Amino acid sequence: MAIDPAASQIGHSGSATQSFAEAVVEAERIIRSAPHVTSDQDLAEGLDYLAGSIKASLHMVGAYQHEHPYFASSTGPYTKLGLDNPDTLYFHAYLRDDAEYVVTGRRGTTADLSFQIMNGDYSPSRSPDSLTAFDDRELDIAEDGTFQLRFGPPRPGAGSGYVALPPGSAMLIVREVFSDWENERPGEIRIHRADTLGTSPSPVPSERMARRYEVAGKMLLARLRTFLAFPEWHYLKLPVNTLTEPRPTPGGLATQFSSVGHYELDDDEVMVITAPAVDRAVAPYQGFQLGSMWYISLDYINHQTSLTADQARVDEDGMIRYVVSERDPGLANWVERTGHRRGYLQFRWQRLTRDLTPADGPSVEVMPFGELPRRLPYYERQRVTEPEWTQRIATRQVAVARRMLG
């Protein structure tokens, strides 16, 4: 069989993956030198975070197709990023601001479905700007749940269902948010460019494929550096063991408020966070989670490290009292630290019908673990047995497996 000399030269050059391999080595150096790495658990979690980041970077570079775009799921339980929300399915598609795109789908039964146009990727020095953000209340949804949106350059008289792409538009992010993990079901979402449907993409030459590895390496390093710096901008300058008042999420969705903070707790301490269960007519989605110092979610599949309003046990006074601790208090609203003495705290309220006030937000109290029975209101009502707790974890495992593949 004849061998193409050019192909042979490419095959022996070893240059296609060289830049990506060097980026991986540099990425490991960044992980190992992170200031919060003080234990083997910290390093092991960092290396696992690195593995997910490598996977996501290659995946997203492959999705960088302006002529034949598709929605890529780059953030999930095994590719974590940016204090990812355990309740959310994330979908990304790359855009050009001079082309027209058609998004079709079927609305599921989840608490929220939202759309956001960004003007680029995150970098270690700045966040990308949110150019347009809205939720499914802006859609014309048919009786069978189907909908269609068109995104493209500003066009006079385009009518409803057409979203003008501001200059610099580069990425469409779709978030589908679950509150009731057991019973809510995801919908469907698709995207195509209006002028390429029915055509096939051209074969990718080896030069462009090699370029993908180079871009993936740059994306990997920017991803790690950005989200090690991001908490410095929004979290670590706040007083420890406190939470902010509800506020619009920086660079986020138009109908989302958040409350953030960071904690530092010894194993014999417990943090009790008290927040109203906001009226569903005001906030169909209300969620709380912990994050590690890698600025990613803790293991929310096998541990209760997050709670939605549907998952939490609401007290008789309409308040949810989250008990953040390392030791098991035997309570329904225990939020597990899973060995993380330090970490991040995050509330989100989505699909809001009004701005939230300080009265809608959380208050925080740190106390010795042994004082919980005396100082926690409705303590007896919050207690759960060991079989009940096992069932809570089993429910999480089954629900995540149903809505997320590896």
Side-chain angles (χ1 to χ4, degrees), residues 153-221:
R155 195 173 70 190
S160 63
Y162 189 90
V163 181
L165 292 175
S169 295
M171 178 186 289
L172 170 60
I173 302 175
V174 179
R175 297 174 177 89
E176 190 169 24
V177 185
F178 295 72
S179 181
D180 182 347
W181 286 19
E182 285 189 83
N183 297 306
E184 292 174 356
R185 292 293 176 264
E188 303 169 8
I189 190 80
R190 296 172 295 279
I191 186 171
H192 66 266
R193 212 170 99 171
D195 61 342
T196 62
L197 185 64
T199 68
S200 302
S202 302
V204 179
S206 61
E207 181 181 356
R208 278 182 55 196
M209 194 60 72
R211 173 65 177 158
R212 285 187 184 181
Y213 282 103
E214 181 182 349
V215 173
K218 292 179 179 178
M219 183 182 293
L220 172 65
L221 295 177

Side-chain angles (χ1 to χ4, degrees), residues 366-384:
V366 176
M367 63 184 70
F369 182 88
E371 293 193 17
L372 265 177
R374 182 175 65 86
R375 295 175 60 179
L376 182 71
Y378 306 98
Y379 176 84
E380 289 298 325
R381 185 179 180 279
Q382 287 290 335
R383 295 184 68 178
V384 293

